[in-house]
Amino acid sequence: MSVKPKLLLSVALLRELHNKIEYYKSVVDNNIKRVEEFSKHTNINEKSVEKERQNLESLKKRLNSVDLFLETVILRLETLTALNQAISSIIVVRETVKELKKMMGVSIPIIEVYLDRLNRLSNELMSIASIDMKSDPKTSLYANQEAKKIIEEAKKVAGMT
C-alpha cells in the first residue's frame, strides 16, 4: 500500500477514534446523572458518592480535551493530505498518536486498540517517508516544523497548554 492510501486510512481511524470518544463522553455524562440521582435518593456515605462524581467529572474533562484535540488534528490532517503534503501528514499522524497516549492516561480497551493500530500505521508511514526525508532535508525540516505547529495549535484548542 502506498503513502496516500495509508494516510487516508490514518484519517479514517482518527475519525473512528473521535466517534468512540464522543460515545464515551455520552456514557460518562449518563453516569454522572445516575450518580447525582443516586445521591439524592439514598443516605449512603456521601463522601464515596462525591468521590465517584469527581472521578467521572475528571474523566469527562479529559475526554472533552481529547475530543477537541482530535477535531483540530483531523481537520488539519485532511487539509495536508488533500494538498499532497505527505511528509507533514505522516509526522502529524505520528505526533498525534504520541500526544493521545499521553492525554488518555486511563486505559479504555477499544481506544487502546485504535491507538495501537494508528501507531503501527504511523511507523509504516515513517519508514516509507524516511527515504524522502533523507534525500531532501529542507522539506523534512519544514514538514517537522509544520507538524509541530499543528499539534501545538490542537493542544491550545483543547486547553492543554
Side-chain angles (χ1 to χ4, degrees):
M1 190 185 295
S2 67
V3 172
K4 182 87 172 198
K6 285 186 182 201
L7 283 172
L8 293 174
L9 177 59
S10 296
V11 171
L13 286 170
L14 285 169
R15 282 185 188 162
E16 281 297 312
L17 179 59
H18 182 257
N19 290 337
K20 295 296 180 197
I21 296 293
E22 289 284 323
Y23 168 75
Y24 281 111
K25 280 175 42 180
S26 69
V27 168
V28 169
D29 279 336
N30 287 335
N31 286 343
I32 290 171
K33 289 175 188 171
R34 287 181 179 160
V35 166
E36 288 171 352
E37 284 297 315
F38 178 79
S39 68
K40 286 179 187 176
H41 300 295
T42 64
N43 291 329
I44 295 180
N45 183 355
E46 290 184 30
K47 286 183 182 180
S48 63
V49 173
E50 181 59 25
K51 183 170 173 91
E52 181 66 21
R53 192 190 62 72
Q54 288 174 351
N55 288 339
L56 288 168
E57 289 289 344
S58 174
L59 180 57
K60 179 182 174 181
K61 184 177 178 182
R62 185 176 300 127
L63 289 173
N64 281 331
S65 293
V66 171
D67 184 37
L68 290 170
F69 177 81
L70 277 172
E71 283 180 25
T72 306
V73 167
I74 290 168
L75 179 65
R76 295 295 302 273
L77 189 56
E78 287 173 335
T79 304
L80 286 174
T81 304
L83 294 172
N84 289 321
Q85 293 186 359
I87 306 265
S88 293
S89 300
I90 291 167
I91 296 169
V92 168
V93 171
R94 182 189 66 195
E95 293 301 315
T96 298
V97 171
K98 286 180 185 177
E99 286 300 320
L100 287 170
K101 285 183 176 187
K102 286 181 202 173
M103 284 182 221
M104 284 308 294
V106 211
S107 182
I108 301 172
I110 192 69
I111 304 297
E112 292 293 323
V113 169
Y114 279 97
L115 289 177
D116 286 344
R117 179 67 176 119
L118 281 163
N119 191 42
R120 281 194 310 273
L121 198 51
S122 74
N123 288 338
E124 290 173 22
L125 285 165
M126 283 304 292
S127 67
I128 293 169
S130 64
I131 296 165
D132 291 337
M133 293 169 78
K134 287 177 185 172
S135 66
D136 190 0
K138 283 184 181 180
T139 301
S140 176
L141 179 62
Y142 171 77
N144 253 327
Q145 291 172 341
E146 183 67 21
K148 287 181 194 256
K149 280 196 302 189
I150 290 169
I151 296 299
E152 287 305 311
E153 176 186 313
K155 286 168 69 174
K156 283 181 187 175
V157 168
M160 302 160 89
T161 56

